[in-house]
Amino acid sequence: MSVGDFERAAKSVLPRAVFGYVNGGTEDCHTLAANRDAFRSVQFRPRGLVGVADRTQAVELWGRRYRHPFGIAPMGVTAMCRHRCEWDLAKAASHAEIPFVLSGLSTLAMETVRKADADFWYQGYLPGDREVIEPLMRRLQANGVDVLVVTIDTPLGANRENNQRNGFTIPFKFSRGLLWDGIRHPRWSANVFARTLLSDREIPRFRNVVADARGYRITEEPKGGLRGGRDRLDWSHLAWMREAWPGRIVLKGVAHPGDAQIAERMGLDGVIVSNHGGRQLDGAQGSLDALPDVVAAVASTFPVMVDGGFRRGTDILKALALGARMVFLGRPFLYGASVAGQAGVARVIDILGTEIDRNLGLLGCRDVAELGSDFIVSRG
């Protein structure tokens, strides 16, 4: 009945180490908690007697109309939760007419994902190296990708102690503990471990991180390291990409309004306010808390999107009222996929859409485009 139900179900389906990887944050998880706490500081101020029989939650972004004001955020290594998980996510998104963002650290080749959703966005963890970026952009163009999302909050790997304690690391390493964990979760072992080995007949590979579709195994440390060169990425690379890339460029991981202003001046097409789901810098602002200042720093025509901690339709409505053009969710859809594949993802989409529709009416608003500061009050 709710995203929370799917989270609890996923916890019983997934091995402890895998669920901990999906669910956890960094260090003391202060940012993870801040994402959720932020929603409690914003309250609704509903209007009455406005006639809400005809409601719509459709939104338009760059001339394209989406059925809901939310999309599926990029998530890496989803194959650990469901065999060919990216297919389930992309297919459900395509049917629901919402955006799906394919992670660079995904294991299903973008050429295959394109068959499920020809209009997916691509999110890259890019090094400060034009010789790597340029051929990757050519591959993206060949696959019809129009929106390139560049993540800027991962110049270094975070201190994810919970993963280390659970024995779950990337590159992935097998251990007796993980093997026993899988045995105690037979549903996961059959649907993920066995299907991967029997149908794919190889260890999953990161197939979309570079131009070469072969990529490298999730158990391998690539030359230069998994995050090699990311700490050299700077604004000069984005300026060059703006000239070289004909489609949209969106920055993900924006927390400071100054970065949003630079992106707007540079001619980029939007930003996503994000703290990587509480998985990078611990002690950072909750995404909803950071959103208003970023919105205020740029023109109203410049799209500001957001992710981080969203679990209810009311959460999404609060972000829209604070100026977000689109909200992205990650973990909720991965919980749905872990429990029931594409049907699970579709059910999560339906839950969120239904909650938005119901609460939009209770709020006294006919159209999400009409949401603004008049409908909310901050508790401070």
Side-chain angles (χ1 to χ4, degrees):
M1 296 178 68
S2 69
V3 167
D5 289 342
F6 271 104
E7 181 176 352
R8 288 182 286 273
K11 186 175 183 179
S12 68
V13 169
L14 298 174
R16 181 175 62 90
V18 176
F19 182 79
Y21 171 76
V22 174
N23 184 260
T26 300
E27 294 182 349
D28 297 316
C29 296
H30 292 309
T31 305
L32 190 71
N35 278 341
R36 288 300 305 152
D37 290 342
F39 294 104
R40 300 185 184 95
S41 67
V42 177
Q43 295 179 319
F44 289 120
R45 252 187 334 200
R47 303 298 300 269
L49 299 174
V50 294
V52 291
D54 297 317
R55 300 179 301 280
T56 178
Q57 57 183 280
V59 295
E60 188 173 295
L61 186 62
W62 304 312
R64 167 151 184 186
R65 190 172 178 83
Y66 293 100
R67 187 187 299 176
H68 302 292
F70 59 84
I72 301 180
M75 295 172 283
V77 211
T78 59
M80 298 303 299
C81 297
R82 187 83 179 185
H83 181 244
R84 291 170 64 89
C85 189
E86 294 95 350
W87 179 273
D88 291 336
L89 294 166
K91 202 72 175 175
S94 180
H95 285 169
E97 299 175 31
I98 65 173
F100 165 66
V101 189
L102 179 69
S103 169
L105 290 179
S106 48
T107 57
L108 196 63
M110 65 177 74
E111 288 77 7
T112 302
V113 175
R114 188 183 182 195
K115 298 175 183 177
D117 184 356
D119 195 39
F120 65 86
W121 302 6
Y122 172 87
Q123 171 265 335
Y125 296 101
L126 303 181
D129 187 343
R130 296 187 185 186
E131 293 182 358
V132 174
I133 299 173
E134 190 167 24
L136 174 60
M137 289 196 299
R138 287 197 298 268
R139 183 183 172 197
L140 293 172
Q141 286 182 261
N143 280 278
V145 175
D146 181 60
V147 183
L148 172 56
V149 180
V150 180
T151 289
I152 66 171
D153 58 4
T154 59
L156 301 172
N159 180 24
R160 300 181 186 177
E161 294 174 357
N162 66 306
N163 294 343
Q164 298 175 54
R165 296 183 197 283
N166 289 332
F168 190 101
T169 59
I170 300 295
F172 183 75
K173 296 179 181 178
F174 290 99
S175 68
R176 291 181 180 179
L178 289 173
L179 180 62
W180 175 240
D181 202 4
I183 291 173
R184 292 190 300 117
H185 293 81
R187 183 174 166 186
W188 176 88
S189 295
N191 190 26
V192 179
F193 189 74
R195 286 183 67 188
T196 298
L197 293 182
L198 291 175
S199 63
D200 299 343
R201 298 189 178 183
E202 68 170 348
I203 294 171
R205 308 176 73 93
F206 292 122
R207 297 185 181 277
N208 299 310
V209 70
V210 292
D212 184 359
R214 283 286 295 167
Y216 49 85
R217 296 185 183 91
I218 65 172
T219 55
E220 294 176 345
E221 183 76 31
K223 184 179 179 181
L226 181 65
R227 299 171 181 84
R230 291 189 203 169
D231 54 358
R232 296 194 301 271
L233 187 71
D234 61 26
W235 288 110
S236 68
H237 297 95
L238 269 298
W240 164 74
M241 289 173 63
R242 177 66 290 172
E243 294 182 1
W245 178 255
R248 310 286 181 179
I249 298 179
V250 173
L251 293 191
K252 179 180 179 292
V254 171
H256 196 289
D259 287 343
Q261 290 175 327
I262 296 173
E264 184 182 25
R265 287 198 302 267
M266 193 174 285
L268 305 188
D269 299 283
V271 297
I272 300 176
V273 176
S274 173
N275 51 44
H276 220 85
R279 298 162 72 85
Q280 281 300 109
L281 177 63
D282 202 28
Q285 267 187 307
S287 292
L288 195 77
D289 286 332
L291 176 64
D293 285 344
V294 174
V295 171
V298 297
S300 60
T301 54
F302 185 74
V304 175
M305 295 159 274
V306 65
D307 70 24
F310 291 84
R311 295 294 181 273
R312 286 282 188 182
T314 47
D315 298 340
I316 295 170
L317 291 175
K318 288 177 181 180
L320 297 176
L322 288 171
R325 293 278 292 278
M326 177 74 72
V327 172
F328 286 95
L329 301 89
R331 291 180 178 96
F333 295 118
L334 196 50
Y335 295 144
S338 300
V339 173
Q342 182 182 332
V345 180
R347 176 59 184 152
V348 173
I349 294 172
D350 181 62
I351 288 171
L352 293 170
T354 300
E355 289 181 347
I356 290 172
D357 177 70
R358 178 189 303 115
N359 290 299
L360 193 65
L362 293 174
L363 191 54
C365 182
R366 291 181 292 265
D367 189 332
V368 291
E370 298 172 0
L371 287 171
S373 59
D374 188 49
F375 286 97
I376 54 173
V377 60
S378 175
R379 292 171 55 192

